[in-house]
């Protein structure tokens, strides 16, 4: 049996909340601290505040028992052996990560240390952060023997966060002391020994008790770089396929075929080769900028990352040109927009390319009716209801009498529309798909003019036959 450990998690955002309930699911006792009282009350009452599979179920199972929510970081510090810092590291003006929340939490922890503690960076932070946290704690008069700071980056994706946490490709622990490494190894033992995968009613995922996930022990600095380098590499993969998709459009080739042909090479792999309207979300844009900035500060030329960002920004403009080429003039056009979240199966609109595109279309004088299965409430704060901007209760209501339909987020349900009904609902059967959810042949057979990313445009069969 793995040992039960008393853990504190500071921050109840995506990473903090998911980590807190998953540690409880692994058998540990957890205190989740947030300085926002309203949030703490909501979590105590069972409201997850974010749209995430399995989260309501785990929160209800453990709240106020194995996971306690509170605002008192001092108490949580005193009661815990390991304290995970999972607060926000937003992007500052210069592209750097703003570490003021991390620093504030570190100082507060320092003031309450009452015995040996392992302080764990869970937030995505630049390579020198570990050392800074250590210095801040020492400055507050805490002796070196009273604590260790380790880096344990998180690789969960929104939408699949809980199963990513409990079935991780790898667990990275960056620790410069054996004592701290032992505490982290004990925390993850239910996963790394395979014990968790033997329990009934576990969260499903790829790992089993005979094939558990690996734990990689590294230096703290390597662990910090692993996180930034992984996100930057995935962003690079997306920008690469987006650039290839532009080449495919110019050459009249099909990027889906090209991506498949590349992805079958096991050295490349098929994942993160979906072209689209550019990556968004709270991680990739921020982390690519932060990694670029870290490299700059350390005198390393990593201008490759600037290219990744450049291609990403250009991808939205390219989509705008596609809309323009399909509709000629944009002023006064009535457009249906499917999707506002930065990707499917989440209600998160942070750095969403869909929101940016809607803003660009509104600036061109289009009238927009949007539908998103989960992100509309959040979107209304960015794109308030107006004469130009409206929201619909489903995809068909959004499409009613529209001059064209735009697909901006890869929600599964958007790939399963009733095409006959959609065609009858739109004023003109034009679909411009920024996520390649449909087969161009099928769209042309259903009478649509269909434009997507990196594939030849399709014309309605009727028109093609008559032409
Ligand atoms: C990302 C990473 O995938 C996680 O491993 C990491 O833990 C997380 O950031 C983080 O640092 O916290 P996430 O932001 O939830 O996770 O979303 P992804 O699924 O990675 O998608 C990011 C963006 O790339 C989305 O806008 C998505 O639509 C886009 N994307 C993704 C593509 O355009 N093409 C692809 O092939 C894949």
């Amino acid at each position: 049996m793995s040992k039960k450990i008393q853990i504190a998690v500071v921050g109840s955002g995506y990473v903090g909340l998911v980590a807190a309930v998953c540690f409880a699911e692994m058998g540990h006792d957890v205190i989740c601290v947030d300085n926002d009282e309203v949030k703490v009350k909501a979590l105590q009452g069972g409201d997850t505040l974010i749209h995430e599979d399995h989260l309501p179920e785990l929160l209800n199972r453990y709240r106020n028992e194995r996971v306690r929510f509170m605002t008192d970081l001092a108490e949580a510090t005193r009661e815990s052996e390991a304290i995970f810092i999972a607060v926000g590291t937003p992007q500052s003006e210069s592209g750097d990560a703003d570490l003021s929340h991390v620093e504030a939490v570190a100082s507060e922890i320092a003031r309450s240390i009452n015995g040996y503690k392992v302080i764990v960076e869970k937030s995505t932070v630049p390579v020198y952060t570990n050392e800074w946290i250590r210095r801040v704690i020492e400055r507050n008069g805490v002796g070196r023997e009273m604590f260790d700071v380790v880096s344990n980056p998180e690789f969960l994706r929104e939408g699949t966060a809980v199963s990513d946490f409990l079935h991780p490709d790898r667990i990275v622990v960056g620790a410069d002391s054996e004592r701290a490494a032992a505490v982290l190894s004990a925390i993850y033992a239910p996963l790394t020994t395979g014990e968790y995968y033997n329990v009934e009613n576990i969260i499903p995922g790829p790992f089993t008790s005979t094939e558990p996930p690996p734990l990689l022990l590294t230096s703290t600095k390597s662990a910090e770089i692993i996180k930034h380098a992984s996100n930057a590499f995935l962003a690079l993969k997306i920008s690469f396929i987006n650039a290839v998709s532009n080449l495919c459009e110019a050459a009249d080739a099909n990027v889906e075929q090209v991506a498949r042909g590349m992805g079958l090479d096991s050295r490349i792999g098929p994942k993160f080769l979906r072209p689209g309207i550019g990556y968004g979300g709270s991680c990739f844009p921020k982390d690519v900028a932060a990694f670029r900035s870290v490299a700059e500060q350390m005198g390393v030329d990593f201008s490759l990352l600037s290219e990744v960002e450049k291609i990403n920004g250009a991808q939205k403009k390219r989509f705008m040109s596609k809309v323009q080429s399909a509709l000629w003039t944009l002023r006064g056009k009535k457009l249906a927009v499917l999707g506002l979240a930065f990707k499917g199966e989440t209600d998160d609109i942070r750095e969403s390319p869909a929101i940016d595109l809607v803003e660009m279309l509104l600036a061109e004088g289009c009238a927009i009716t949007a539908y998103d299965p989960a992100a509309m409430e959040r979107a209304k704060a960015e794109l308030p209801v107006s004469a130009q901007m409206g929201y619909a209760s489903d995809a068909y209501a959004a499409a009613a009498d529209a001059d064209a339909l735009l697909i901006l987020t890869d929600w599964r349900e958007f790939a399963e529309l009733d095409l006959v009904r959609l065609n009858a609902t739109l004023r003109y059967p034009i679909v411009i798909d920024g996520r390649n959810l449909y087969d161009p042949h099928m769209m042309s057979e259903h009478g649509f003019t269909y434009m997507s990313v990196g594939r030849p445009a399709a014309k309605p069969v009727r028109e093609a036959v008559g032409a």
Side-chain angles (χ1 to χ4, degrees):
M1 260 303 268
S2 299
K3 191 176 141 213
K4 181 186 272 199
I5 297 190
Q6 180 67 56
I7 295 171
V9 178
V10 190
S12 63
Y14 264 97
V15 173
L17 180 58
V18 170
V21 298
C22 288
F23 284 143
E25 169 80 354
M26 287 154 64
H28 302 301
D29 278 327
V30 186
I31 300 175
C32 184
V33 186
D34 202 295
N35 56 10
D36 182 339
E37 265 182 53
V38 179
K39 237 175 147 181
V40 167
K41 285 242 154 54
L43 291 164
Q44 286 167 339
D47 183 352
T48 62
L49 303 166
I50 49 175
H51 179 91
E52 197 62 53
D53 242 15
H54 303 299
L55 193 55
E57 175 189 335
L58 291 190
L59 182 63
N60 268 323
R61 206 179 293 168
Y62 300 119
R63 76 191 154 96
N64 309 329
E65 290 179 17
R66 254 195 242 167
V67 183
R68 287 178 291 147
F69 294 96
M70 59 171 74
T71 51
D72 192 345
L73 177 53
E75 185 186 336
T77 302
R78 285 191 297 268
E79 282 191 30
S80 305
E81 190 174 341
I83 304 145
F84 285 74
I85 304 180
V87 296
T89 51
Q91 190 174 333
S92 68
E93 290 282 306
S94 57
D96 288 350
D98 171 356
L99 298 174
S100 53
H101 300 297
V102 175
E103 181 178 353
V105 168
S107 304
E108 214 180 321
I109 292 172
R111 288 194 289 272
S112 321
I113 283 185
N114 58 341
Y116 176 74
K117 309 280 172 191
V118 180
I119 295 149
V120 191
E121 294 170 353
K122 199 65 164 154
S123 314
T124 303
V125 290
V127 61
Y128 40 77
T129 310
N130 199 285
E131 258 174 49
W132 272 110
I133 296 179
R134 185 172 52 73
R135 270 190 241 172
V136 165
I137 295 177
E138 279 178 333
R139 257 182 219 157
N140 279 276
V142 182
R144 254 330 262 113
E145 71 294 348
M146 292 284 278
F147 75 99
D148 276 306
V149 185
V150 310
S151 167
N152 170 224
E154 186 45 58
F155 302 99
L156 57 81
R157 289 161 299 172
E158 291 183 18
T160 52
V162 170
S163 65
D164 286 347
F165 193 97
L166 293 166
H167 294 267
D169 283 354
R170 76 298 206 190
I171 296 157
V172 174
V173 172
D176 297 329
S177 97
E178 276 180 23
R179 190 177 181 188
V183 172
L184 268 285
S185 300
I187 289 175
Y188 284 103
L191 303 186
T192 54
T193 58
E195 192 182 305
Y196 173 69
Y197 307 106
N198 266 335
V199 177
E200 263 177 49
N201 297 327
I202 62 157
I203 300 297
F207 286 106
T208 61
S209 56
T210 47
E211 265 189 75
L215 185 143
L216 177 70
L217 205 52
T218 69
S219 72
T220 52
K221 287 183 178 154
S222 299
E224 288 167 327
I225 293 181
I226 287 171
K227 171 67 192 189
H228 264 156
S230 300
N231 271 6
F233 190 81
L234 291 170
L236 175 143
K237 227 178 155 185
I238 299 169
S239 277
F240 190 90
I241 200 66
N242 279 332
V244 170
S245 78
N246 299 338
L247 191 67
C248 287
E249 282 175 18
D252 222 17
N254 183 330
V255 72
E256 299 294 331
Q257 294 172 357
V258 174
R260 197 167 146 65
M262 290 168 62
L264 282 170
D265 184 327
S266 59
R267 293 168 303 174
I268 297 174
K271 293 182 181 161
F272 278 67
L273 282 181
R274 277 180 287 115
I277 51 175
Y279 59 78
S282 64
C283 302
F284 285 174
K286 167 176 81 81
D287 291 350
V288 173
F291 201 34
R292 176 172 47 71
S293 170
V294 167
E296 239 164 62
Q297 284 167 31
M298 302 205 157
V300 174
D301 179 6
F302 212 154
S303 46
L304 176 64
L305 297 178
S306 310
E307 287 303 311
V308 169
E309 291 174 312
K310 201 169 103 193
I311 295 169
N312 199 51
Q315 204 61 12
K316 284 182 280 209
K317 295 199 188 105
R318 210 175 159 94
F319 187 82
M320 275 298 283
S321 316
K322 248 174 230 166
V323 179
Q324 215 144 16
S325 75
L327 299 177
W328 189 20
T329 62
L330 291 181
R331 183 155 303 280
K333 289 277 156 63
K334 186 171 168 348
L335 301 179
V337 162
L338 297 190
L340 297 163
F342 81 98
K343 66 172 186 178
E345 325 309 316
T346 174
D347 61 350
D348 197 341
I349 57 159
R350 285 175 291 173
E351 301 291 322
S352 170
I355 299 279
D356 291 345
L357 277 166
V358 170
E359 279 170 352
M360 287 155 93
L361 291 161
L362 290 172
E364 291 292 330
C366 297
I368 299 215
T369 307
Y371 168 68
D372 186 288
M376 290 198 288
E377 275 321 302
R378 287 181 197 265
K380 279 176 192 166
E382 300 277 317
L383 304 165
V385 175
S386 69
Q388 243 185 306
M389 181 71 215
Y391 293 86
S393 55
D394 66 34
Y396 307 100
D401 216 25
D403 293 308
L405 176 100
L406 275 44
I407 302 177
L408 301 185
T409 305
D410 51 352
W411 276 93
R412 275 192 293 273
E413 68 171 73
F414 294 161
E416 293 161 2
L417 296 173
D418 174 343
L419 295 177
V420 175
R421 181 173 170 201
L422 183 67
N423 191 322
T425 312
L426 284 163
R427 185 171 144 107
Y428 296 110
I430 301 172
V431 172
I432 308 161
D433 181 358
R435 301 289 191 159
N436 288 3
L437 298 189
Y438 286 93
D439 169 33
H441 292 296
M442 185 170 78
M443 292 304 274
S444 83
E445 273 164 17
H446 279 85
F448 288 97
T449 295
Y450 177 71
M451 297 167 92
S452 54
V453 183
R455 303 184 295 181
K459 290 215 170 82
V461 164
R462 279 190 308 271
E463 195 184 296
V465 170

